[in-house]
Amino acid sequence: MSTSECPPLRLQSRLREGRPFPLGATWDGRGVNFALFSASAKAVELCIFDSTGETELERIFLPEHTDEVWHGYLPDAEAGTVYGYRVHGPYEPDAGHRFNPNKLLLDPYAKGIVGELKWDHALFGYTIGHPDEDLSFDERDSAPFMPKSRVIDPAYTWGLDRKPDIPWDRTVFYEMHVKGFTRLHPDIPEKIRGTYAGLAHPAAVDYLTKLGVTSVELLPIHHFIDDSYLVDKGLKNYWGYNSINFFSPDLRYSATNTLGEFKRTVARLHEAGIEVILDVVYNHTAEGNENGPTLCYKGIDNDSYYKKPKDNPRYYINDTGTGNTLDTTHGRVIQLVTDSLRYWAQDMRVDGFRFDLAPILAREEHGFDESGSFLDSVRQDPVLSRVKLVAEPWDLGPGGYQVGGFSPGWAEWNDKFRDTVRAFWQGEDGKLADMAQRITASADCFNKRGRKPWASVNFITAHDGFNLRDLVSYNEKHNEANGEDNKDGHSDNHSWNCGVEGPTEDAEINALRLRQMRNMLATLLLSQGTPMLLAGDEHGKTQFGNNNAYCQDSEISWLDWAAIDEGNKHLTAFVTRLIALRKRYPILRRSRFFTGELDEEAGVRDVTWYNPSGQEMTPGDWDDSNARCLGVLMDGRAQETGIKRPGQDVTVLLVLNAYHDVVEFKLPSGVDGKSWDLLIDTNQPDLEEGNGFRFNSPYAVTGRSLLLFSLDYTNED
C-alpha cells in the first residue's frame, strides 16, 4: 500500500514559513520554530496537544520544505507546548519506506518528553496478525498510547559552575545507575531517592568525594522505552539501553519532572570536583526490526535513519542484537548524533561520553574504519574533541572486536584487562606474561600513534556480568528472576566461588573471598591506565548470582546501604586507601608507557620484572605456565619529563602471588641505608604504613595476595 499522494494542505493563517534550522522545536520568546528532516516525506503535520499530552487540539501542516527539511513558525506557541508529528509519504516496506500518518511520532530533536508509552497494537505501522505481516497497513491512531514532545525553555542560571576538567592520568571512573545508587540510601529523603536530585544530595556527593573517585559514569539516561515483553512479565528495562530520544533526560529519574533538576545535579557534582560522564546508545533505537513499533525515526524517514540490506530494504541490518542499527554513515544521522552530543556537552555541561557498541558508529560499507565518517566528525569538532570519549570497542557485526583499534583521542574499555585479571587470580595456568601486559596499560594494544596509557580503561566488573562479590561467590550464573529459565547472560565468567556456591557461613571461605576481592580491587587501582570501579563493589554488593540484571529494577540491582556490615566497611576503607595511593604517587599513573630501557641520565630503567628469588625475569620464567607470582618494580627516578611533580621520585614494587601457598619473595636490591615501606598487603587490610623491610630480605607473601612497597630516594631513613 502507498500513501504517496500529498494530502490537501491545511495552512493556518497564523503559521509562518519559519526556518529549516535548527532542527527540532526552538522557542525564541515570541513563538516556536519547528523543523523536521525527512528526505522522502510528502507532507508533515504538526499536532498540538494540551499540557497533559492527552487531548489533541489541532493539526497544522508545516508550510515549507527546504533541503529535505519541513519547517514552520508558530508565533503564538510557548515553551511548554506539547506536540508530535504525523508524516505522510509512501508505505512501501519493500522499498524501505514505512510512512503512516495514523501514527503519532516523537520529534527526534525533542528536548522534553511528556507521558509514557503504553503498549498497544495501534503503535505498529502494520496490522498485527494480518497475513501480509509488516506489508499490511494499519489505520488506527496511535496518539493515545504515545509519549509526546515538549518545547522547552533552555534558560538556566549556572552561576559559578566550572567543569572539573580532570586530567586523564588522574581519572578514576565510577560506573553507576542514578536510581540504583540512591534508591535505598537511608540518609537521602525518601521523596528524592532514585532521582537526579537524590544523586545531588549531600549524602551521595560526600560519599563519592570521600571515596576519591573523580568521574561518575551514569548508565543511560536518554529517554528510553520498556520493552513490551518485559512489561508483560512485570519487569522493566532497568539499564536503559533502549533509547528513543537522544536529547531528553528520562524524567522517570526526576523528582520534580523538570530539566533543571538534572542541570542542578551536574552543577552540584562539579562543585565537589566530580565529572559527569554519560553512557550513550547511538547504535540503535527502541523501534526494533520490521515487526517493531513506529514511534519516531521509522515513521519519519525509515530509509535514511536505519541500515538495511541493499538487496532487500524491507529488513534491517542487526549489528546490535536489538533488531535495528542506526546508519551513522548518513549525513543527517551523523548530524543528529553530533548535535545531541554537543547539546549534552554545552547545554547540560556533562564532561564526556561512553559509547555503547562503538564499532557500529565507525562501520562503513567496507567494514570498521577508525577514520570513518562519524569518528572524523567528532575528531574535528571543537567541542566534542575536548571532552572525554570512551568506546565500548566491540559489537556483533563484522569485524566487531576492535580493542585498541580506535583513533587517537579515544579511550576504550579493555576487556582483555578484565579477563586476564580474573583468570590470574582464579589461578589459571600461563597467565603471567599476559598479566604483565595488562597491569602496564596493555601497551600491546594501545602503544601506537602517540596514544597514552590512559587510553586503556581497565575494569574488573561492569553493569553487564557478575559484580565483584558474585565473581568470588558463584561458579554459575543464577538469572532465574529474569524469567528466561536462566538462559540469558554469559556463561563464561572467569568466576570462582572459592569452594561453595553462593552465601556460606564458612569463615575460611568468606575470608578468602574478601581477600580475592581486595586482590582484584588493588590490581585495578594500582595498574597503569584508567581504572573504572563498579558502584557497590567497594562494599561487597551482591546481585545474588544474577549476571544479567538489565531488567531488575529491584533489590537485586539497588545498592543496599543498610546491609553494609563492618567487614564491608573495611573493604570501602581499603578502596579509599588505594585511590589515595594512586593519587599520591605519579608512578602509579604514568602519562607514558613503560619501555624497560635504561635511562642514561638517571642510570635506571623505568620498569623491571622480578621472580620470587629476587632475580630479573628470564624468558624461561615468562614461559613457565605454572608460574603464578611476579614482582614489578616501577622506578620513579626514570623521569617522563623534565617537570618534577610531588612524589615523582618514589619507586614502587608490586608483588602478585596467585599461588595457593605462601611464597618467600626476596625484595630487590637498592641503595644502602634505604628500606622498603610496605603500603598494601591484601592479607592485612588494616595494615599501617611505615613498616620497613631491608633489601634482599625475603617477605612471606600469603597465598592469593598482593603487596605494594614504596621506596623514596629523596629522604633518609
Side-chain angles (χ1 to χ4, degrees), residues 453-675:
W454 57 255
S456 175
V457 176
N458 302 327
F459 65 105
I460 307 292
T461 58
H463 65 276
D464 188 5
F466 279 140
N467 61 10
L468 189 60
R469 167 71 69 175
D470 292 356
L471 187 66
V472 299
S473 303
Y474 295 91
N475 284 350
E476 309 295 336
K477 63 184 181 180
H478 296 271
N479 298 348
E480 291 80 7
N482 296 355
E484 298 182 42
D485 298 323
N486 203 32
K487 295 178 180 178
D488 62 305
H490 300 291
S491 296
D492 182 17
N493 296 287
H494 292 291
S495 64
W496 178 45
N497 64 20
C498 298
V500 174
E501 188 76 353
T504 179
E505 297 298 320
D506 189 308
E508 187 174 336
I509 289 177
N510 284 331
L512 175 58
R513 287 176 175 176
L514 276 171
R515 190 162 73 250
Q516 285 285 76
M517 292 168 68
R518 290 192 292 268
N519 287 337
M520 286 186 272
L521 288 165
T523 304
L524 172 67
L525 291 164
L526 300 178
S527 291
Q528 304 294 317
T530 304
M532 185 185 78
L533 181 67
L534 174 64
D537 277 356
E538 75 276 15
H539 51 67
K541 156 71 179 169
T542 180
Q543 293 183 168
F544 312 101
N546 193 318
N547 75 348
N548 189 34
Y550 78 103
C551 58
Q552 294 300 325
D553 189 0
S554 67
E555 288 83 356
I556 289 176
S557 297
W558 304 338
L559 273 63
D560 188 356
W561 299 89
I564 300 174
D565 58 24
E566 285 304 314
N568 289 327
K569 286 181 180 178
H570 284 298
L571 186 63
T572 305
F574 182 72
V575 172
T576 302
R577 186 176 171 192
L578 288 169
I579 295 175
L581 286 170
R582 182 180 183 87
K583 292 180 178 179
R584 187 194 309 173
Y585 297 127
I587 192 66
L588 295 173
R589 45 183 175 81
R590 282 170 54 98
S591 59
R592 293 184 183 178
F593 288 96
F594 288 116
T595 67
E597 299 174 357
L598 182 68
D599 183 323
E600 297 291 347
E601 181 179 348
V604 296
R605 285 179 288 177
D606 53 12
V607 63
T608 308
W609 302 91
Y610 290 94
N611 61 27
S613 65
Q615 302 299 311
E616 291 189 30
M617 293 281 287
T618 66
D621 292 327
W622 289 116
D623 293 339
D624 184 356
S625 63
N626 294 316
R628 290 176 172 79
C629 181
L630 83 160
V632 52
L633 188 149
M634 295 169 272
D635 201 316
R637 294 173 297 172
Q639 301 297 317
E640 297 184 71
T641 68
I643 302 174
K644 300 283 287 184
R645 293 183 289 174
Q648 187 164 311
D649 281 332
V650 173
T651 290
V652 297
L653 173 67
L654 190 64
V655 179
L656 304 94
N657 177 24
Y659 286 112
H660 291 283
D661 302 322
V662 172
V663 170
E664 294 289 336
F665 196 99
K666 190 174 182 181
L667 301 180
S669 300
V671 178
D672 290 339
K674 298 290 183 180
S675 62

Side-chain angles (χ1 to χ4, degrees), residues 187-239:
D187 296 329
I188 296 176
E190 176 70 31
K191 64 181 180 180
I192 63 171
R193 292 179 188 172
T195 68
Y196 305 121
L199 180 56
H201 189 271
V205 177
D206 290 349
Y207 174 82
L208 295 168
T209 303
K210 291 176 181 177
L211 185 63
V213 297
T214 68
S215 313
V216 293
E217 183 177 305
L218 306 181
L219 264 66
I221 62 164
H222 288 168
H223 191 87
F224 63 91
I225 300 298
D226 289 319
D227 315 68
S228 60
Y229 75 92
L230 291 177
V231 174
D232 291 343
K233 292 191 294 185
L235 299 171
K236 297 180 180 179
N237 190 323
Y238 174 68
W239 287 349

Side-chain angles (χ1 to χ4, degrees), residues 2 24 36 43 56 210 246 269 322 372 402 411 418 443 446 469 517 577 597 693:
S2 172
L36 180 74
E56 188 172 356
K210 291 176 181 177
F246 301 126
L269 289 166
T322 64
Q402 291 294 333
R418 176 197 65 194
F446 298 102
R469 167 71 69 175
M517 292 168 68
R577 186 176 171 192
E597 299 174 357
F693 294 90

Side-chain angles (χ1 to χ4, degrees), residues 25-36:
T26 306
W27 181 59
D28 63 8
R30 297 183 177 183
V32 177
N33 190 81
F34 296 90
L36 180 74

